[in-house]
Amino acid sequence: MTKRGAKSGQHGAGKSAKFFGLLAAAWLGLVAAWPEGFEVKIGTFSLLSYPSWSQWWAPKEEVMTAEAVMVWLEEEPGNEGTKEPGNEGTKEPGNEGTKEPGNEGTTRKGLDPMAFLTANDEARGKLSQLFAALEAREFGGRAVHVFHFGDSQIEGDRFTATIRERMQTAFGGGGPGWLSVSPPSPSFTVNLRVDDPERWTRQTRYMTADSLISDERYGWMAARSVADSGARFTIRPHPRCNEAARTWNRLEVVWDASADTVPISWQVAGGGMWMDTVLLPAQGLGRMRWHGEQAQLPISVALPAGLDRLLHVGMWLDSTGVVVHNVPMRGSSGTLFRRLDASVLADQTQDISPALVFLQFGGNTVPYLRDAAAAERYGRWFASNLRQIRALMPDAAFVIIGNADMAENINGQWLTKPMVEPTRDALRQAALLEDAVFFDVFEAMGGKHSMGGWVNTSPPLAGADHVHFTRRGARVLAELLMDGLFGLAQENATP
Amino acid sequence: MKEAIARWWRDGHWAEWLWQGDPWSFTHLSFWGFFFAVLLIQSKLEQRKAARNAFLFLASLWFYWKTSGWFFTLLLATTVMGFFVGGRIHRPSSRGVQQGWLGLGVGLSLAFLLFFKYAYFFSESFEALTGMQVALRNPFAGLANAVFQTGFDADRIVLPIGISFFTFQSISYVVDIYRGEVEPAENLVDYGFFVSFFPQLVAGPIVRAKDFMPQLRRPSVVSHAAFGMALFWILNGLMKKVWLGDGLALMLVDRVFANPTSYTPLENVWALYGYSLQVYADFSGYTDIAMGVALLLGFHLPQNFNSPYKAQHLGDFWRRWHMSLSGWLRDYLYIPMGGNRQGSLFTWIALAFVLFFLMLLMPSLGGWMIAAGIGCLWMALGIQFPRLGRWTVTTFNLMLTMLIGGLWHGASWNFVVWGGLNGVGLVVAKFWRRINPFKGRAPWLGILLTFHFVTLTRVWFRTSSTANWEDLGGAHDLWSEWLTANDMLMAMSAPMNWALLADLVFAYATPLILLGTGMTIHWLPERWKRRYRLSFAKSSKVVQGFVCLVVAGFLWERLSTGSAPFIYFQF
């Protein structure tokens, strides 16, 4: 074969280059033909997507790198001090990128935690009164209940573990708080093992609620477990559970007495417990309390044999002082409280008088909001739920933990989703309206386009989904939150 | 557009693209810009072999510079050393002299590998044993700083990407020359090109000189069908890596492995199976792209995967998984040890090597005594029962090969367990094949068993691997890795609350669909796959171009800086 013949029968590198060149031109042609870009989606999963013309040629955004995150978290105090609470939104995006690495190590942690808190006078006053009362041990021998409601960001006791640790260290207290027999995810605080899972059925008001259930008698966990006769569970200490959470002296079990046969003798084995109180109302919630001197895990709890079925609403382990309950509701936006049967909610907390409530929602709404107006509507809806909770817990101080940065891959960069900031603004507005303290997680992370940096630190502070924090990341933010709250309470304390 | 190009030029991004910035990985758009430039220049050199080889060698060094910076000097040093030693071995001289050169070549290659891969491990073990602090210094970084005025941190040892792969290629080259299986390269450029050919430089397949060197002496020939096939491999590899592998990692695997006890048993099981598919999609995806890119340049790389989850037993699996490494371990480790026939001096050396690592992993007197006890017991059994002795020797050959294979991935207990389980699995599978009364019947049962066993061993493999660019080459946190593996096993064995099933399926619908789709495609009959591959390869350029555009639409968001590194970059 001649050289020419050989050439024509082959597909040399030149032809390959030409093919790829034409391909690139065709790509640009497509992008130009659809200047707005186009996308084929299944649910939230992008199946096929072409960039918009402006996106394609846009300069790269200044995103926060992992190094910048480390610098941000270790910055000199005062650098952010000029930022007034509430003015976070005016911070220019991209400033994070200009931070010079190398400042790290000059101080242990230099962020001003109070810069991320927004609160009106009412909220400040209530929080500082509570902290002063706790400081003075005014609650005597009672348990002081702190609730932390949230979405999947708080699963596995994330955030809550730090809140609990800080408050119990400062004001005393013990126990891991509220437990669920069938939680959406196991907790690090205690390891609750259901011995015969087939006897337990879980019903939730969030995620895929069972449409055949017509009542709303779920209680504050928005979830309940239906137990069959002889159902059992065992509570064990988790190897990573801290000492305070491991130490408790009271177990309280609550069930819906109006719906079921009332059990009169739950059996508790281990832990050195004895029966304290039994409340068996004709309707509403039944309660049973066990007491013990410094009771220890593990303990086993079994329902009596011969029982038809029982709607188990919740239980907790606590002791004198602060007890912090972790209540995760996967997929929830914090707008289901108004749907829940208020009489059950009131009944459940009537004799414990919650003192402080954290609400951490918003992330699940971000992907579904179309514009800022929709975010405002969400904020109003959230505020109405907050109002409902306040009415049921009138003595409590409230803290709203804002939504975190959530990133999506745009043009090869992990950029903040468009509705993250409007959602944050709406939540802050709701908090101010309802006299709650607002903690701006988004700004505490470093602001716009910071999530990518949190994912890439070593070890990572956030997960690869660019949505959820790792335990380490959650701890960093929860420490900032608690530093801020202690600071705020101190600042507003009356001499 | 004009403004964007002007900005690219004005702001010096072109220089960043050329010299610094993100590494050129197959999943970065910048790599394809580089490859386009290579194709353009290659088109002028196709018929001039020497010039072509020299150009591709330089392009490969540039590629390695972008991937690993000044470590390209290490690649150069390995190249020069391998070429020089290979030439010396080939010179007529006594067997002893040849063996001396061979020992030097293999020893130096291994020394580089051991230093970069295990320096932290050795120093930590030494500290644990003696209680003395070791100030670890990187002499290569110090040298580079002195010579090139670079700013390396000489107190930190970073693993050069791909070092395992080019070191193994270098070792196989000198051994093959010693065995007389291959002629040495004609010149340094040809040899350098063989060692550093960029498509396979950082994660294989491990190419043998006898397969690759003859291609250097031929002009590049790419038929139309080969072009189509190359395109198919590239698209197939990209879809595997980005769409399947990264998709599973992002939506399921990484979050569960980061914190197994926060998830239900079912989520843990899904994550494990997800990882089994992810690691295959990631690694075989890389190989597919490497094969495609090499083919477009006129070179053939060996097959590295052959639908491994179709394997009917564990031996079959290792013949289908990472075939170039399995083959390498077989030819340069297992057979020199005596294979399945006998033991040799090499068995003892390998045993000492593995025991040394195990003792360092367990830095206590008790650990040393256990290791010595195992050795003595083995010797006593061999002397007392010669037949049993032979069986134990050949079994040990297999076990040692797998343990060294495990340690090759990293000095971590988890990799030891992973390698050990595979070794035990191979021994059991070998024994079972001998006594299996159902031979030839229900092959699907063997496939299922093998797949599940391999998947289970991934618990230890994944918990010792990293998913971040920043963590590549870092030291292993042995205790944390061990705890994570235990956490996962504990979480998987906890009783499952099946009332959560609907919620979980709803929450993980997308990754579950990915998992199902991936496994279905994997288990399609080979003849179906061949048919659609050939159909694509023979289709018109318009059809091929259209498919390329659709696939690019699938992947464009990730075909830049967003994708995670290939898993095997860290080894």
Side-chain angles (χ1 to χ4, degrees):
Chain A
M1 197 183 285
T2 63
K3 198 174 171 186
R4 178 178 291 273
K7 266 195 161 178
S8 63
Q10 290 165 16
H11 196 288
K15 282 187 179 174
S16 299
K18 198 169 152 193
F19 179 86
F20 286 118
L22 283 171
L23 208 60
W27 171 274
L28 286 177
L30 266 175
V31 175
W34 278 277
E36 296 306 313
F38 67 87
E39 194 166 13
V40 180
K41 279 181 143 186
I42 298 179
T44 55
F45 185 66
S46 176
L47 194 64
L48 185 68
S49 89
Y50 275 79
S52 67
W53 185 251
S54 56
Q55 237 175 21
W56 183 255
W57 296 107
K60 290 275 183 189
E61 295 278 344
E62 285 282 351
V63 297
M64 203 167 183
T65 62
E67 293 77 26
V69 169
M70 297 317 289
V71 174
W72 171 254
L73 294 173
E74 304 276 336
E75 226 173 27
E76 282 284 340
N79 283 4
E80 297 297 316
T82 52
K83 197 166 68 175
E84 285 298 311
N87 283 353
E88 297 88 349
T90 60
K91 188 163 155 269
E92 284 297 311
N95 283 357
E96 307 83 13
T98 60
K99 285 189 197 89
E100 284 299 311
N103 288 347
E104 63 268 35
T106 50
T107 54
R108 191 177 58 81
K109 183 178 284 181
L111 279 183
D112 176 10
M114 287 173 62
F116 307 113
L117 294 176
T118 311
N120 60 22
D121 292 342
E122 182 74 24
R124 285 165 187 261
K126 202 148 198 177
L127 188 81
S128 38
Q129 271 173 26
L130 169 67
F131 276 49
L134 287 168
E135 186 76 46
R137 302 292 194 269
E138 281 178 17
F139 292 91
R142 284 188 296 133
V144 179
H145 290 263
V146 175
F147 286 87
H148 186 191
F149 299 103
D151 51 28
S152 51
Q153 286 285 22
I154 70 165
E155 281 183 0
D157 217 33
R158 279 173 299 160
F159 285 91
T160 319
T162 308
I163 295 172
R164 182 184 299 113
E165 208 175 302
R166 291 289 299 271
M167 293 199 73
Q168 290 182 342
T169 305
F171 309 122
W178 221 320
L179 305 172
S180 171
V181 174
S182 40
S185 68
S187 168
F188 261 93
T189 314
V190 289
N191 184 10
L192 197 147
R193 192 181 175 99
V194 177
D195 295 325
D196 40 7
E198 68 280 0
R199 289 179 193 268
W200 294 92
T201 310
R202 181 172 182 265
Q203 297 174 344
T204 58
R205 189 61 184 84
Y206 49 91
M207 293 287 282
T208 45
D210 188 343
S211 57
L212 295 175
I213 300 172
S214 54
D215 70 276
E216 298 285 354
R217 299 177 65 82
Y218 289 92
W220 283 109
M221 295 185 94
R224 60 192 183 191
S225 309
V226 183
D228 288 343
S229 172
R232 300 166 60 85
F233 57 85
T234 307
I235 307 167
R236 304 169 191 283
H238 192 283
R240 297 180 198 181
C241 165
N242 70 38
E243 199 50 45
R246 217 181 264 245
T247 310
W248 48 276
N249 57 19
R250 198 164 66 144
L251 164 68
E252 174 153 343
V253 179
V254 184
W255 69 91
D256 187 351
S258 66
D260 311 284
T261 311
V262 177
I264 50 165
S265 62
W266 291 58
Q267 293 143 24
V268 173
M273 309 292 292
W274 64 86
M275 182 81 75
D276 177 17
T277 316
V278 185
L279 295 174
L280 299 171
Q283 57 180 357
L285 300 183
R287 283 184 177 76
M288 217 164 267
R289 290 187 189 129
W290 289 265
H291 224 97
E293 293 293 336
Q294 286 296 305
Q296 289 293 322
L297 299 174
I299 58 165
S300 278
V301 181
L303 270 72
L307 174 76
D308 263 359
R309 58 194 282 276
L310 171 126
L311 281 177
H312 179 257
V313 178
M315 63 179 166
W316 61 78
L317 299 166
D318 66 24
S319 74
T320 307
V322 177
V323 53
V324 182
H325 306 288
N326 169 256
V327 191
M329 301 172 181
R330 187 180 286 191
S332 171
S333 301
T335 51
L336 50 66
F337 294 97
R338 283 186 60 185
R339 297 202 199 107
L340 301 175
D341 190 319
S343 67
V344 176
L345 300 180
D347 199 356
Q348 206 172 354
T349 45
Q350 64 170 349
D351 60 345
I352 61 168
S353 180
L356 179 59
V357 177
F358 293 88
L359 289 131
Q360 187 169 355
F361 294 99
N364 287 303
T365 316
V366 169
Y368 301 100
L369 296 174
R370 281 170 178 270
D371 50 29
E376 282 173 26
R377 279 197 297 277
Y378 164 67
R380 286 197 291 275
W381 195 13
F382 181 80
S384 71
N385 276 269
L386 184 50
R387 208 169 304 134
Q388 164 88 340
I389 303 170
R390 285 183 69 203
L392 291 162
M393 300 179 176
D395 299 326
F398 281 80
V399 178
I400 308 303
I401 302 173
N403 54 306
D405 188 23
M406 291 168 77
E408 59 187 340
N409 196 317
I410 307 269
N411 215 5
Q413 287 188 295
W414 286 97
L415 305 180
T416 295
K417 282 180 186 267
M419 285 299 116
V420 167
E421 286 173 277
T423 305
R424 184 272 314 266
D425 295 343
L427 285 172
R428 183 166 52 204
Q429 194 58 35
L432 288 171
L433 196 68
E434 293 301 321
D435 301 332
V437 176
F438 180 75
F439 177 61
D440 196 335
V441 175
F442 178 74
E443 285 300 328
M445 290 174 70
K448 206 167 180 180
H449 312 320
S450 55
M451 182 50 100
W454 280 64
V455 173
N456 287 321
T457 56
S458 177
L461 296 171
D465 60 359
H466 291 72
V467 174
H468 294 94
F469 295 106
T470 59
R471 299 189 69 74
R472 190 180 289 263
R475 172 165 283 276
V476 167
L477 287 165
E479 291 281 4
L480 262 180
L481 164 69
M482 294 313 293
D483 286 346
L485 291 182
F486 278 103
L488 198 68
Q490 184 89 29
E491 194 178 80
N492 292 277
T494 45
Chain B
M1 178 175 165
K2 254 168 86 176
E3 194 203 326
I5 294 170
R7 199 170 47 230
W8 190 71
W9 183 257
R10 194 181 56 234
D11 296 348
H13 292 310
W14 62 273
E16 190 180 305
W17 181 79
L18 281 176
W19 300 113
Q20 295 149 359
D22 296 314
W24 282 340
S25 172
F26 292 155
T27 51
H28 290 181
L29 207 54
S30 51
F31 168 80
W32 297 101
F34 159 76
F35 182 57
F36 182 69
V38 169
L39 276 178
L40 274 179
I41 299 170
Q42 157 101 343
S43 67
K44 308 291 174 205
L45 305 169
E46 273 171 322
Q47 304 303 320
R48 293 148 63 191
K49 289 167 285 185
R52 176 203 61 189
N53 294 351
F55 164 67
L56 287 177
F57 177 40
L58 286 176
S60 298
L61 286 180
W62 187 21
F63 171 85
Y64 196 67
W65 159 268
K66 278 290 292 182
T67 314
S68 279
W70 283 99
F71 279 129
F72 93 98
T73 52
L74 180 72
L75 176 64
L76 272 180
T78 309
T79 304
V80 172
M81 187 270 295
F83 178 72
F84 178 74
V85 170
R88 287 286 169 167
I89 293 173
H90 192 251
R91 275 188 192 175
S93 56
S94 71
R95 203 65 180 160
V97 172
Q98 285 182 328
Q99 282 172 345
W101 281 112
L102 176 67
L104 182 73
V106 174
L108 277 176
S109 295
L110 284 178
F112 280 140
L113 187 64
L114 289 174
F115 174 76
F116 283 104
K117 209 156 184 169
Y118 305 110
Y120 281 113
F121 167 67
F122 286 138
S123 70
E124 282 170 14
S125 302
F126 183 77
E127 283 175 11
L129 269 174
T130 62
M132 290 161 64
Q133 288 284 317
V134 183
L136 215 50
R137 298 276 302 166
N138 184 349
F140 298 99
L143 189 68
N145 289 346
V147 176
F148 302 110
Q149 303 301 307
T150 52
F152 280 125
D153 181 359
D155 296 328
R156 193 162 165 248
I157 297 169
V158 181
L159 183 74
I161 289 177
I163 187 171
S164 300
F165 294 93
F166 64 72
T167 304
F168 274 25
Q169 274 190 207
S170 186
I171 291 174
S172 73
Y173 172 74
V174 291
V175 174
D176 285 353
I177 291 177
Y178 173 77
R179 288 174 177 170
E181 290 176 4
V182 69
E183 291 287 309
E186 285 172 11
N187 54 59
L188 183 61
V189 170
D190 280 5
Y191 179 68
F193 176 35
F194 155 68
V195 174
S196 64
F197 186 38
F198 70 86
Q200 45 81 225
L201 176 58
V202 291
I206 299 164
V207 180
R208 306 282 184 88
K210 63 183 169 197
D211 299 326
F212 196 76
M213 297 294 249
Q215 298 186 50
L216 304 186
R217 295 168 201 134
R218 292 197 293 260
S220 304
V221 177
V222 183
S223 66
H224 286 293
F227 171 81
M229 196 53 89
L231 211 54
F232 175 86
W233 285 125
I234 291 172
L235 297 179
N236 195 50
L238 284 171
M239 286 293 280
K240 271 185 186 172
K241 158 69 180 164
V242 179
W243 190 65
L244 198 56
D246 285 357
L248 283 168
L250 194 68
M251 289 182 278
L252 173 66
V253 177
D254 286 352
R255 69 179 70 174
V256 177
F257 271 93
N259 202 356
T261 50
S262 280
Y263 291 87
T264 60
L266 193 60
E267 284 164 301
N268 274 276
V269 170
W270 284 345
L272 187 57
Y273 282 86
Y275 181 67
S276 213
L277 182 60
Q278 185 210 337
V279 71
Y280 166 70
D282 190 286
F283 195 14
S284 72
Y286 178 91
T287 310
D288 287 355
I289 302 166
M291 280 166 55
V293 167
L295 200 52
L296 285 179
L297 294 170
F299 296 92
H300 290 265
L301 297 181
Q303 189 183 8
N304 214 15
F305 291 90
N306 180 19
S307 304
Y309 295 141
K310 284 181 184 169
Q312 294 185 23
H313 54 82
L314 202 56
D316 188 20
F317 173 81
W318 281 106
R319 280 194 285 276
R320 291 163 174 265
W321 174 272
H322 201 175
M323 292 152 75
S324 63
L325 177 68
S326 306
W328 195 97
L329 290 173
R330 182 195 61 221
D331 293 346
Y332 301 104
L333 186 63
Y334 181 61
I335 290 175
M337 284 195 294
N340 59 0
R341 293 164 190 269
Q342 62 197 3
S344 72
L345 176 67
F346 207 59
T347 308
W348 289 98
I349 296 171
L351 179 66
F353 181 80
V354 169
L355 287 180
F356 175 63
F357 264 84
L358 294 188
M359 284 189 296
L360 289 183
L361 276 168
M362 191 167 41
S364 69
L365 194 62
W368 290 63
M369 285 173 71
I370 291 170
I374 291 171
C376 292
L377 182 71
W378 180 42
M379 274 173 65
L381 283 173
I383 293 163
Q384 191 64 33
F385 309 103
R387 269 190 70 186
L388 181 67
R390 219 187 87 184
W391 183 83
T392 49
V393 166
T394 53
T395 302
F396 259 67
N397 286 346
L398 202 54
M399 283 296 297
L400 288 171
T401 306
M402 295 317 291
L403 284 171
I404 289 174
L407 286 169
W408 172 78
H409 289 86
S412 155
W413 271 114
N414 285 21
F415 284 132
V416 172
V417 172
W418 176 77
L421 280 175
N422 273 286
V424 171
L426 280 171
V427 172
V428 171
K430 201 171 139 190
F431 181 69
W432 173 248
R433 280 208 309 284
R434 213 180 286 168
I435 60 162
N436 180 9
F438 314 107
K439 213 170 273 181
R441 280 177 286 169
W444 55 269
L445 193 63
I447 292 174
L448 280 182
L449 270 175
T450 309
F451 172 60
H452 290 303
F453 177 79
V454 168
T455 299
L456 179 70
T457 64
R458 302 272 187 221
V459 172
W460 290 274
F461 189 89
R462 171 60 177 80
T463 44
S464 279
S465 309
T466 178
N468 279 343
W469 280 103
E470 285 71 15
D471 290 343
L472 290 182
H476 285 273
D477 184 346
L478 299 180
W479 184 238
S480 160
E481 290 170 2
W482 185 252
L483 275 184
T484 310
N486 282 351
D487 278 352
M488 186 146 208
L489 291 175
M490 197 175 78
M492 282 195 297
S493 61
M496 176 64 199
N497 181 357
W498 291 106
L500 292 171
L501 184 63
D503 281 357
L504 293 177
V505 170
F506 177 75
Y508 291 98
T510 312
L512 289 178
I513 290 169
L514 273 184
L515 185 57
T517 311
M519 289 314 301
T520 307
I521 295 172
H522 185 85
W523 276 322
L524 283 179
E526 189 52 37
R527 63 176 190 283
W528 291 20
K529 291 186 181 178
R530 203 176 303 126
R531 201 175 298 158
Y532 67 66
R533 263 181 230 142
L534 283 173
S535 304
F536 178 84
K538 288 178 181 169
S539 61
S540 75
K541 293 287 171 290
V542 177
V543 172
Q544 289 172 353
F546 177 74
V547 174
C548 284
L549 284 176
V550 172
V551 172
F554 267 112
L555 307 178
W556 85 272
E557 282 179 342
R558 305 286 173 77
L559 281 176
S560 187
T561 55
S563 184
F566 286 93
I567 292 171
Y568 267 69
F569 275 20
Q570 63 194 291
F571 305 130

